[in-house]
């Protein structure tokens, strides 16, 4: 972060530059250099420690919904934390992609989901046939209906 402080206007955030368990240090570095740090692995592996509870973390939070389980449990957990929430891909299949983006749509995220343009890496007949990099939720809903009709 120190090396990047002169470019901080061009940096949205750094995605978890230190290992799980170093959240307090990341918070201090973020304040010291006035550059946002986003938690990611800590959300997946360490939230049993309450990293996200009671406003312990003020910066962005990058989540990979397909790695975190139950749709409605995530919805209820993330709803009060929307202002800092950023969804990111974990190379989901098209079915996982649909559920991640549907969760983002249902939550009415304030920040754009990132990195969901991974469908070119999967060669199945169930892919969403629109350009997901634009994340146009109307296209996603239309494609999801089409996908549902093909599967069922």
């Amino acid at each position: 972060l120190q090396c990047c402080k002169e470019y901080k206007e061009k940096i949205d955030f750094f995605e978890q530059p230190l290992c799980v368990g170093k959240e307090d240090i990341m918070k201090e570095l973020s304040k010291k250099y006035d550059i946002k740090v986003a938690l990611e692995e800590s959300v997946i592996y360490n939230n049993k420690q309450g990293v996200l509870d009671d406003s312990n973390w003020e910066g962005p939070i990058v989540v990979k919904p397909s790695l975190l389980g139950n749709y409605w449990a995530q919805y209820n957990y993330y709803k009060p934390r929307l202002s800092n929430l950023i969804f990111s891909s974990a190379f989901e299949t098209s079915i996982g992609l649909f559920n991640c983006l549907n969760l983002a749509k249902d939550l009415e995220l304030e920040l754009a989901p990132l990195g969901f343009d991974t469908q070119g890496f999967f060669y199945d007949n169930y892919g969403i046939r629109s350009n997901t990099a634009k994340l146009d939720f109307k296209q996603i809903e239309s494609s999801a209906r089409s996908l549902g009709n093909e599967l069922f």
Side-chain angles (χ1 to χ4, degrees):
L1 294 178
Q2 181 179 1
C3 296
C4 297
K5 66 182 176 184
E6 68 182 88
Y7 305 104
K8 67 182 178 183
E9 310 81 40
K10 298 179 181 186
I11 300 170
D12 291 326
F13 59 85
F14 275 93
E15 193 169 319
Q16 190 143 358
L18 299 176
C19 65
V20 173
K22 304 290 185 187
E23 294 80 13
D24 289 338
I25 295 170
M26 288 184 275
K27 187 188 266 188
E28 289 174 27
L29 291 171
S30 178
K31 286 181 183 176
K32 181 176 180 177
Y33 296 107
D34 195 26
I35 298 174
K36 291 180 182 177
V37 171
L39 291 185
E40 180 196 19
E41 290 85 0
S42 293
V43 176
I44 297 170
Y45 300 109
N46 202 31
N47 201 45
K48 294 178 185 117
Q49 316 297 310
V51 171
L52 301 181
D53 297 332
D54 303 317
S55 300
N56 287 334
W57 187 257
E58 299 163 6
I61 302 164
V62 176
V63 295
K64 299 182 184 304
S66 60
L67 300 179
L68 299 176
N70 181 285
Y71 183 94
W72 290 110
Q74 288 186 68
Y75 178 90
N76 291 328
Y77 187 76
Y78 296 141
K79 192 67 176 169
R81 297 167 174 82
L82 292 181
S83 63
N84 292 339
L85 202 61
I86 302 166
F87 275 25
S88 180
S89 175
F91 277 92
E92 295 81 7
T93 63
S94 53
I95 295 168
L97 173 67
F98 165 72
N99 284 309
C100 291
L101 295 178
N102 198 44
L103 180 58
K105 179 186 143 296
D106 288 349
L107 286 168
E108 300 174 11
L109 286 180
E110 295 175 23
L111 301 173
L114 301 173
F116 282 96
D117 54 348
T118 58
Q119 289 303 289
F121 294 96
F122 296 99
Y123 300 101
D124 60 24
N125 292 323
Y126 308 112
I128 292 178
R129 289 170 182 75
S130 63
N131 182 353
T132 57
K134 292 181 184 174
L135 293 171
D136 180 337
F137 287 121
K138 289 183 183 185
Q139 285 181 339
I140 291 167
E141 282 183 316
S142 171
S143 295
R145 277 194 216 70
S146 168
L147 175 62
N149 290 338
E150 286 182 31
L151 292 175
F152 304 104

